[in-house]
Amino acid sequence: MKNLRLKAARAAKDLSQQQLADLIGVSRQTVNAIEKGDYNPTIRLCLAICHALDKTLDELFWEE
C-alpha cells in the first residue's frame, strides 16, 4: 500500500526524497520504496522518519 501521508509530509517540509534519505541515513531508493509501499521499514527507521518530519507514528504509518 502506498504511503501517501509520508509523501505529503515530506513535500510539506519541502524535502526531496534524497534530502530525507540523508537526514535519516538511508538511500533515496529506500525512501522511494517506502512511499511506494514496496518496503516495510523497521520501527527504528519509522521513528527516524517521524522525527525528521515532525510527525507521529500514527500520523505517518497507522493504517486505518
Side-chain angles (χ1 to χ4, degrees):
M1 175 181 293
K2 287 188 177 184
N3 193 328
L4 299 177
R5 291 177 288 177
L6 171 57
K7 187 174 183 176
R10 178 179 57 76
K13 286 273 196 182
D14 200 29
L15 293 172
S16 67
Q17 287 182 343
Q18 184 63 59
Q19 289 169 319
L20 177 58
D22 291 343
L23 285 173
I24 60 176
V26 298
S27 69
R28 182 203 58 78
Q29 290 84 352
T30 299
V31 173
N32 181 271
I34 295 168
E35 287 184 359
K36 286 174 42 182
D38 293 339
Y39 178 73
N40 191 14
T42 64
I43 190 69
R44 176 168 282 172
L45 182 51
C46 289
L47 287 170
I49 293 169
C50 289
H51 289 161
L53 298 177
D54 296 320
K55 298 288 184 183
T56 66
L57 281 171
D58 286 351
E59 289 173 319
L60 293 181
F61 295 102
W62 188 259
E63 293 184 22
E64 298 188 14

